[in-house]
Amino acid sequence: MGKITKYLPSAILGSTVAAPLAYIAYIYQKDNHQKQHAILRNFPLLGRVRYMTEHIGPELRQYLFSGDNEGLPFSRIQYQNIVKAGKYNERLIGFGSNRNFAEDGFYIRNSLFPKLRTELKVDNSEKVKTVKYVVDNEGLMSRKEHREEVLTDPYYLRDEDAVVLGEGYCREPFRIKGQVGMSAMSYGALGENAITALSKGLGVAGGTWMNTGEGGISDHHLAGGADLIMQIGPGLFGVRTAGGEFSWEAFKEKSEMEQVKAFEIKLAQGAKTRGGHLEGNKVTEEIARIRLIEPGKTVNSPNRFTEYDSFDKLFDFIEELREVGGKPVGMKIVVGDVEGLEEMVQIMKESGKGPDFITIDGGEGGTGATYQELSDSVGLPIMTALPIVDELLRQYEVRDRVKLIASGKLITPDKIAIALSMGADLVNIARGFMISVGCIMAEVCHTNTCPVGVATTDPDLQDGLVVGEKMYRVANYVMSLRAGLFNIAAAAGVESPTMLERKHLTHKDIQGRISSVGSMIHKIEQEEKKEKDVENLTVKK
Amino acid sequence: MKVFVFGGGGDVGEYVLKRLAAENHEAFTIAETENRAEELRMIGAIHVSVAKDNRFVEVMEGCEAIIYIAGANPTAGENKNVLVDKDAVAHAMAKAREQQIERVIYLSPARVDESAESQETGGKKIPEQLIKLDGFTYTVIHSSRGVHKPGQNTINIVSSNGEKGKEIAFEDVAAVLVESLANKATYNKTFKVVSGTTPIKKALKNI
């Protein structure tokens, strides 16, 4: 007893000093002798600071050091705009815009005589019951807020302005009373909580749609009663036979579902102009059942429908799908090859066949995992791609048969309005909706470790995402986008965002000069002509 | 019953029109523009005349009751010291007399949660005195501040002002107005409603 009390203090002191020293010495030795990192060999221990700060750099930049307008794919401000619209149902900002007006960009041409609120052709006859947050008191360290049920205006389009897919071409055209919907996001890429919250939120908001993604229709997509567009990718998930062929039987079954309003064939998407890859350990029983594949087995889907390598074959397939399903059939493309596109439009005109809608994904689009090289440099961005498709369709007089859905970072009403003016009829959003259900842009979608439980199927992580809470954020976000569109329409002097055209848009360049947003095709042709002239001149010489 | 609604395009008004349609009354009202008129028809108004036409008198023909939802508009009246267009109320009531309409339900812009002084400001209380003097079978209703929240179908009738910050759903105010139409307990009464726990029908019976 006496001995213990005598030596204990010095023993404790000794170990608190000696143990860390020993550990430091061990690390020093280890760093010094490893062969992987030069920095650590030259600066043992100290060099570790580099890896630590590199690791937490994104977080530090996002929260502390980056300006509000910095950061990609979405800046802090853009992110906040989505969150505020979802949580507080509020889009007001104070003390002016944070946009950099010195840069070039598109602007809405506001009319000197804007439309009055009472002149807008909006349908607010049915109020929507939703939940929003109200801030009671905000201090530096605390924010007191409460949640309350409210009735809000849904900002539907009037019946006569509703956008109709497949009108006159299929038995059950799809009428949509809003211009904003959810882009393709599969169950598996997002977890069941995220998909359920999205489905319920979109169901509450109404006048919108949910694209299932190529992963097929899950119960979670169906959970909220939202209208669905089922996507069919080259992997044919959900509509395949055991052998991997297209299953007409499975397709017919899907087309008979009340909630499924249209089908979309995915030729390409902005993020991945490659085939899909689904790791075997992610193929759970449920995912296998939905996608009609074998559980536990890795699936590689090709980057093209193996059977359809020409527009003629593809259009015949579309005809058959429309005939069997009775519902509109569209296709999703990424624009890069303008000549190829022109050939497609020409065939549409000559054969009288073709899709009911074309979803144009901008090269900047993308949610999930993909390769950097495809994501960065394959496919044109939406504000170039969209007008080209619109013009080609007009040039060949088939524009009235086809509706255009645009996507690619169109997350705020102004961006959407610009796309609508450029020729889009509807707009798809993916990441904006991810943010509305809680995404914090951790950029780990491909690792199944999403810290907020959105892009993961891990049940523990998904526990953080409460469906009953986030569904209203989705509803508020989509309704606030529609309200914003009517705001812009009024400013532009038209009664409804469906009436926005190119003439409502202007482009300001970096020197402050403005130009109207005219014909893209015309510009391409002019450039080609110039090149030819130069060529001719040099030949003559 | 054919009911003429003044202020049918407002926050409470829209719910009044919906409620009247739901209870098989015929709602007549006035809108500012043709576009707005179309919206009110979508909600359930049977006949909407556009204010510009100035034909509301002829629309009023055959109506059996009036619901007047008065707003406190800072630009109303002959000058800005007057917040409620009392001339418009007087004009409407004179026309109602001509049409031999007996029943008038009036939602006062003077709110329950306002101070007594504020209630008098801008002549907010003048029109209801006109109605009472005019010999209609009136019901004058004061409510607390209206909000866009889902209706609870329950209210409280209070006797004194006060209860600051207490709000009521527009939907519930509308329900009280429509429910009062044929409820004899509310005839020739002035009462104050706030959000509460008593079912509307029961609350009105006990006035």
Side-chain angles (χ1 to χ4, degrees):
Chain A
M1 194 63 199
K3 259 185 187 173
I4 289 178
T5 42
K6 191 177 168 193
Y7 291 114
L8 191 64
S10 52
I12 291 175
L13 192 71
S15 60
T16 46
V17 176
L21 276 178
Y23 184 65
I24 287 169
Y26 164 70
I27 298 281
Y28 190 94
Q29 279 304 309
K30 193 179 160 195
D31 285 355
N32 205 7
H33 287 102
Q34 57 82 34
K35 290 174 182 166
Q36 197 181 358
H37 306 290
I39 283 270
L40 290 185
R41 279 172 75 88
N42 288 342
F43 308 96
L45 204 61
L46 215 58
R48 287 186 172 246
V49 175
R50 176 182 185 273
Y51 298 99
M52 260 165 59
T53 41
E54 190 180 37
H55 190 72
I56 58 171
E59 281 83 352
L60 288 179
R61 279 193 290 281
Q62 196 187 347
Y63 295 121
L64 291 176
F65 301 120
S66 272
D68 286 338
N69 278 322
E70 289 173 64
L72 285 167
F74 299 106
S75 72
R76 197 82 205 137
I77 286 273
Q78 288 174 316
Y79 169 80
Q80 272 179 3
N81 285 340
I82 299 170
V83 174
K84 281 183 185 163
K87 188 172 176 189
Y88 302 104
N89 199 2
E90 175 71 75
R91 284 173 298 110
L92 290 174
I93 58 164
F95 210 62
S97 169
N98 278 291
R99 177 174 181 173
N100 183 353
F101 290 97
E103 283 174 3
D104 58 342
F106 293 105
Y107 290 82
I108 300 286
R109 284 168 59 154
N110 58 306
S111 167
L112 291 176
F113 299 99
K115 289 288 171 193
L116 293 169
R117 269 185 90 80
T118 48
E119 289 170 325
L120 291 176
K121 294 213 161 183
V122 57
D123 177 2
N124 279 328
S125 54
E126 286 300 322
K127 300 270 186 286
V128 167
K129 199 188 282 188
T130 178
V131 172
K132 70 168 184 178
Y133 276 85
V134 179
V135 178
D136 305 315
N137 198 355
E138 188 160 8
L140 180 63
M141 305 298 278
S142 66
R143 180 191 289 158
K144 237 188 115 189
E145 55 189 9
H146 70 273
R147 213 170 168 251
E148 65 180 34
E149 265 197 343
V150 283
L151 289 165
T152 47
D153 288 330
Y155 286 90
Y156 296 131
L157 298 172
R158 293 271 178 89
D159 288 335
E160 65 267 28
D161 295 331
V163 179
V164 191
L165 303 183
E167 192 168 39
Y169 290 90
C170 54
R171 296 194 295 278
E172 293 173 56
F174 179 24
R175 294 184 69 81
I176 319 169
K177 288 189 72 173
Q179 291 168 289
V180 185
M182 195 192 97
S183 196
M185 290 197 281
S186 302
Y187 168 57
L190 301 197
E192 58 258 37
N193 282 14
I195 297 280
T196 309
L198 286 164
S199 173
K200 287 192 172 172
L202 295 171
V204 165
T208 181
W209 66 93
M210 183 179 203
N211 192 311
T212 61
E214 62 174 325
I217 302 167
S218 70
D219 291 343
H220 318 298
H221 283 105
L222 295 165
D227 287 339
L228 298 182
I229 295 180
M230 183 190 172
Q231 193 180 62
I232 302 171
L236 302 173
F237 298 128
V239 284
R240 72 208 290 271
T241 60
E245 303 276 295
F246 187 80
S247 160
W248 286 101
E249 210 172 300
F251 172 75
K252 197 161 186 332
E253 195 184 297
K254 298 285 172 351
S255 66
E256 278 163 4
M257 293 168 89
E258 171 70 26
Q259 248 172 282
V260 178
K261 302 289 185 189
F263 292 90
E264 178 184 88
I265 300 172
K266 186 175 93 173
L267 298 192
Q269 83 178 70
K272 17 182 181 187
T273 24
R274 62 158 174 128
H277 170 92
L278 188 63
E279 198 58 45
N281 60 13
K282 277 182 111 175
V283 185
T284 59
E285 290 282 341
E286 188 187 10
I287 288 180
R289 182 172 53 77
I290 295 162
R291 298 199 179 196
L292 305 177
I293 51 180
E294 267 182 68
K297 235 177 161 183
T298 297
V299 193
N300 278 307
S301 51
N303 61 358
R304 195 198 79 207
F305 286 87
T306 35
E307 292 169 65
Y308 312 112
D309 57 356
S310 72
F311 288 117
D312 287 315
K313 285 187 203 164
L314 180 71
F315 288 172
D316 285 340
F317 180 52
I318 289 177
E319 288 296 301
E320 213 173 339
L321 288 175
R322 199 188 284 127
E323 186 51 44
V324 173
K327 294 187 174 170
V329 180
M331 55 193 240
K332 181 170 185 170
I333 60 168
V334 174
V335 176
D337 174 10
V338 179
E339 287 76 36
L341 205 67
E342 185 160 5
E343 185 199 335
M344 175 188 90
V345 179
Q346 199 173 351
I347 293 171
M348 278 177 71
K349 184 178 167 64
E350 283 162 9
S351 66
K353 295 173 185 170
D356 296 311
F357 62 94
I358 299 177
T359 306
I360 307 160
D361 204 11
E364 65 269 60
T367 47
T370 185
Y371 296 108
Q372 174 272 329
E373 65 271 25
L374 294 174
S375 183
D376 283 352
S377 300
V378 178
L380 289 170
I382 189 66
M383 292 308 177
T384 305
L386 174 62
I388 290 177
V389 178
D390 179 52
E391 279 167 36
L392 280 175
L393 291 169
R394 281 178 204 281
Q395 203 175 316
Y396 286 88
E397 295 165 341
V398 287
R399 181 67 179 85
D400 54 328
R401 270 165 43 191
V402 192
K403 295 283 184 259
L404 291 182
I405 308 181
S407 60
K409 293 176 79 171
L410 306 172
I411 51 155
T412 46
D414 51 326
K415 301 260 163 53
I416 297 170
I418 291 168
L420 295 177
S421 309
M422 285 278 199
D425 295 293
L426 304 168
V427 159
N428 264 342
I429 300 176
R431 283 172 292 185
F433 279 116
M434 285 174 70
I435 291 172
S436 76
V437 289
C439 163
I440 56 164
M441 310 191 290
E443 304 189 351
V444 289
C445 309
H446 55 299
T447 61
N448 210 24
T449 58
C450 174
V452 285
V454 177
T456 178
T457 45
D458 182 334
D460 291 338
L461 289 168
Q462 283 200 67
D463 195 41
L465 200 164
V466 180
V467 173
E469 167 75 28
K470 295 292 194 272
M471 58 182 274
Y472 291 110
R473 310 244 181 139
V474 176
N476 293 344
Y477 174 52
V478 70
M479 288 190 289
S480 82
L481 289 176
R482 294 194 297 235
L485 285 178
F486 272 101
N487 258 347
I488 291 175
V494 291
E495 289 157 342
S496 160
T498 54
M499 296 173 191
L500 289 171
E501 293 173 39
R502 295 263 182 102
K503 66 178 182 193
H504 298 116
L505 217 54
T506 189
H507 184 270
K508 181 192 82 77
D509 71 13
I510 205 143
Q511 287 165 314
R513 295 172 301 200
I514 58 163
S515 52
S516 61
V517 183
S519 164
M520 288 271 177
I521 300 278
H522 183 64
K523 275 180 196 160
I524 295 172
E525 280 167 357
Q526 268 187 329
E527 286 297 317
E528 277 171 4
K529 198 167 160 272
K530 221 189 270 171
E531 265 172 42
K532 260 186 202 151
D533 288 348
V534 173
E535 235 170 71
N536 287 343
L537 271 177
T538 43
V539 169
K540 271 177 196 166
K541 267 180 189 169
Chain B
M1 197 188 284
K2 285 184 179 173
V3 185
F4 197 93
V5 183
F6 284 92
D11 289 320
V12 177
E14 285 192 5
Y15 288 110
V16 168
L17 295 180
K18 271 187 208 172
R19 189 119 194 148
L20 286 171
E23 299 191 359
N24 295 321
H25 294 295
E26 282 178 47
F28 293 67
T29 193
I30 321 165
E32 294 161 57
T33 58
E34 188 45 56
N35 185 49
R36 186 73 184 128
E38 203 184 313
E39 283 179 348
L40 298 182
R41 280 182 210 116
M42 268 163 37
I43 287 171
I46 299 291
H47 190 112
V48 187
S49 80
V50 178
K52 269 182 253 166
D53 306 352
N54 220 355
R55 285 185 304 126
F56 80 88
V57 179
E58 119 198 8
V59 180
M60 210 191 249
E61 208 170 42
C63 283
E64 296 151 78
I66 286 176
I67 293 180
Y68 199 109
I69 302 156
N73 182 346
T75 58
E78 56 269 59
N79 66 52
K80 289 194 177 180
N81 294 330
V82 180
L83 293 174
V84 183
D85 193 347
K86 67 177 193 310
D87 292 343
V89 181
H91 180 65
M93 291 308 138
K95 293 298 169 193
R97 270 262 147 263
E98 277 174 27
Q99 299 294 331
Q100 295 172 344
I101 295 172
E102 286 292 323
R103 183 85 180 107
V104 174
I105 294 164
Y106 179 79
L107 178 68
S108 172
R111 298 197 318 262
V112 176
D113 51 349
E114 276 180 278
S115 67
E117 190 191 40
S118 164
Q119 289 199 6
E120 300 292 341
T121 314
K124 271 183 249 168
K125 277 199 160 173
I126 297 172
E128 58 198 80
Q129 284 147 12
L130 285 176
I131 293 168
K132 286 177 192 172
L133 291 173
D134 250 356
F136 291 103
T137 308
Y138 69 86
T139 301
V140 173
I141 298 167
H142 295 248
S143 80
S144 49
R145 192 171 65 87
V147 286
H148 276 297
K149 284 190 185 173
Q152 309 292 319
N153 250 324
T154 55
I155 52 157
N156 271 352
I157 307 274
V158 291
S159 52
S160 63
N161 289 328
E163 295 216 58
K164 271 217 155 90
K166 189 117 183 167
E167 32 189 51
I168 185 167
F170 290 126
E171 219 176 344
D172 286 334
V173 178
V176 171
L177 294 176
V178 175
E179 192 58 42
S180 299
L181 270 178
N183 188 326
K184 288 216 168 72
T186 66
Y187 284 12
N188 300 321
K189 296 264 173 62
T190 300
F191 59 88
K192 304 180 168 83
V193 294
V194 297
S195 60
T197 50
T198 324
I200 290 174
K201 266 192 187 158
K202 198 176 152 201
L204 294 187
K205 239 178 231 167
N206 298 332
I207 285 171

